[in-house]
Amino acid sequence: MKIPAFGGSRQKKPKSSERKSKFQIQPLARWHPAVRQLLSWIVTVGSVLLCLLLLPTRLPGMELLGIGPNWLLIWVVAWSVKRTVFAGALAGIVLGLLQDSMTSPNPSHAISLGIVGALTGLLQKQRFIEEDFISIAVIVFVLAVLAETIFGLQLTLLGNERKVTDIWTYYQRVALASAILSSLWAPVVYYPLNLWWQRMKLLEQ
């Protein structure tokens, strides 16, 4: 009496497997090139917007002396590591203008981030760096100090009412705190983005 029921259960298995196969997502290699390109741009723009949202955020472990990581600088370094000097500088200027729209356009962050992108592309072009977490952290540390120094220099040249000594005393602490935190958090941004961009590049080839 149990044999027909057992046979019936066997007949139901292919149906369940057919249903599962309908909901399977195809690998990226089988996607249309235009769709892959669109997805790549969505991920890139989305990561920029996420970094912009994280700029004013102060979560536990993301603050030192009231200063947070420079997320946009980390993104510019991650973008420029495997690209040309022009591409790095252009990305830095665009992200700097976006940051100016959130804060103040005078002095501008576009200058410092543009220089950061150009220098990162130049270092990679000359093969002075290796593509590992330690190298990226060191680059971010040095360039974060440089970016804050350039920003402080802009304040000095603009003739701010505050004394020059007060400006540089403050920005010494800002530069150090920003450099330490940015270098520590750099792998969090660099690793997934670099992995994604590498995969997209291989699929295009």
Side-chain angles (χ1 to χ4, degrees):
M1 297 298 293
K2 294 182 180 180
I3 295 176
F6 184 74
S9 62
R10 282 185 176 179
Q11 293 177 356
K12 292 180 181 179
K13 287 183 179 180
K15 293 182 180 180
S16 61
S17 61
E18 288 177 0
R19 290 176 182 176
K20 291 180 180 179
S21 62
K22 292 180 181 179
F23 297 100
Q24 287 180 355
I25 300 175
Q26 294 183 352
L28 286 175
R30 296 183 181 179
W31 289 25
H32 192 276
V35 178
R36 287 203 307 264
Q37 187 67 29
L38 178 62
L39 180 61
S40 179
W41 279 109
I42 290 174
V43 172
T44 301
V45 174
S47 62
V48 172
L49 294 177
L50 179 61
C51 289
L52 282 171
L53 293 175
L54 286 174
L55 276 179
T57 305
R58 295 293 182 268
L59 298 175
M62 294 171 54
E63 183 179 2
L64 182 62
L65 300 176
I67 307 298
N70 193 336
W71 296 105
L72 292 182
L73 183 141
I74 298 172
W75 194 97
V76 170
V77 171
W79 168 269
S80 307
V81 161
K82 295 183 179 180
R83 288 174 175 83
T84 62
V85 176
F86 176 77
L90 182 61
I93 292 172
V94 172
L95 266 66
L97 293 175
L98 290 175
Q99 188 172 359
D100 290 342
S101 66
M102 294 180 60
T103 55
S104 173
N106 195 12
S108 176
H109 295 87
I111 298 174
S112 57
L113 288 181
I115 293 174
V116 165
L119 288 177
T120 306
L122 183 62
L123 287 173
Q124 177 60 22
K125 185 178 180 180
Q126 299 297 329
R127 300 296 178 183
F128 290 149
I129 59 174
E130 297 292 336
E131 296 170 5
D132 56 15
F133 291 160
I134 298 177
S135 298
I136 296 300
V138 171
I139 293 170
V140 169
F141 182 90
V142 174
L143 294 181
V145 173
L146 178 63
E148 295 297 340
T149 303
I150 293 172
F151 194 80
L153 183 61
Q154 290 184 71
L155 286 175
T156 304
L157 294 176
L158 288 173
N160 197 286
E161 296 179 357
R162 292 179 293 182
K163 294 181 180 179
V164 176
T165 55
D166 294 338
I167 293 175
W168 286 108
T169 300
Y170 173 73
Y171 271 95
Q172 282 177 359
R173 292 181 296 175
V174 170
L176 184 60
S178 176
I180 292 173
L181 286 175
S182 299
S183 61
L184 290 175
W185 285 93
V188 176
V189 177
Y190 171 77
Y191 179 74
L193 285 179
N194 182 60
L195 190 64
W196 172 260
W197 289 328
Q198 277 186 338
R199 188 175 183 184
M200 289 295 103
K201 187 176 181 180
L202 289 175
L203 289 176
E204 289 176 2
Q205 294 175 354

